[in-house]
Amino acid sequence: MRIVPCTVDRHAAAVQAIFNDAILHSTALYEDEPRTMDVIRAWFDAKARGGFPIIAAETDDGTLMGFATYGTFRDRPGYRFTVEHSVYVDARFHRQGVGRRLLEALIVRAREQRLHVMIGGIDADNAASIALHERLGFFSCGTIRQAGFKFGRWLDLAFYQLIL
């Protein structure tokens, strides 16, 4: 596995597939509609404009295993040193250390950009993601009960933070 910059030309279709699988089959994203390629391209553009990295984990043959990024936490000047991150792993590569490698690499980039806090919003039932974050030093900083609604039920959103 290697960590490389995630690019539109090389990864957009695989990123779209991973996002849409998460949208359709999980509570990792509180969205109901699959993302179009136009939405994916706009997402890449917004990350580039904001100076935010998108990193990819690839197999030796170049298959995208997962990706990670961060972006604006809240759009006010006082929050400029805080980012909200996300990590998505293709279902074929779950439980192989991909998420950990991506999150570790993302933490390095956040420190290089002299950021101060990383925030992860995690569905409270996602025990694997919570455990990963805790192993890397994140701690719970609150849960918003019934913040989302998907698959006919209310979802709790847990927030985890790492002070860099």
Side-chain angles (χ1 to χ4, degrees):
M1 172 183 354
R2 62 179 178 250
I3 303 298
V4 299
C6 192
T7 67
V8 174
D9 292 342
R10 186 168 175 171
H11 301 109
V15 165
Q16 180 187 29
I18 292 170
F19 267 138
N20 288 343
D21 183 66
I23 290 167
L24 295 172
H25 303 290
S26 80
T27 56
L29 285 160
Y30 292 0
E31 296 179 34
D32 298 316
E33 297 298 322
R35 294 185 182 185
T36 65
M37 187 52 69
D38 287 341
V39 168
I40 297 298
R41 284 190 191 100
W43 177 80
F44 270 98
D45 289 344
K47 295 294 180 182
R49 281 193 314 276
F52 300 123
I54 307 172
I55 57 174
E58 292 182 337
T59 62
D60 290 339
D61 70 2
T63 300
L64 183 71
M65 302 170 80
F67 62 94
T69 188
Y70 52 74
T72 303
F73 172 65
R74 296 189 76 179
D75 190 22
R76 301 285 184 273
Y79 298 105
R80 69 188 172 276
F81 297 106
T82 300
V83 291
E84 185 170 2
H85 68 277
S86 55
V87 177
Y88 295 96
V89 177
D90 185 306
R92 297 172 296 168
F93 300 103
H94 283 181
R95 307 222 185 281
Q96 296 181 31
V98 177
R100 181 183 184 107
R101 287 281 307 277
L102 284 165
L103 188 50
E104 287 171 339
L106 208 57
I107 291 167
V108 167
R109 280 156 183 82
R111 286 185 170 132
E112 289 171 352
Q113 287 189 309
R114 299 190 179 279
L115 296 170
H116 185 61
V117 173
M118 290 179 70
I119 302 286
I122 307 168
D123 183 78
D125 288 338
N126 190 339
S129 184
I130 289 170
L132 168 64
H133 281 78
E134 288 175 340
R135 280 193 302 273
L136 293 181
F138 286 78
F139 57 90
S140 175
C141 57
T143 299
I144 302 173
R145 305 283 178 215
Q146 299 184 11
F149 188 83
K150 189 171 180 179
F151 302 136
R153 63 187 173 96
W154 292 106
L155 305 170
D156 297 343
L157 181 62
F159 284 98
Y160 280 74
Q161 79 175 90
L162 177 67
I163 298 174
L164 299 164

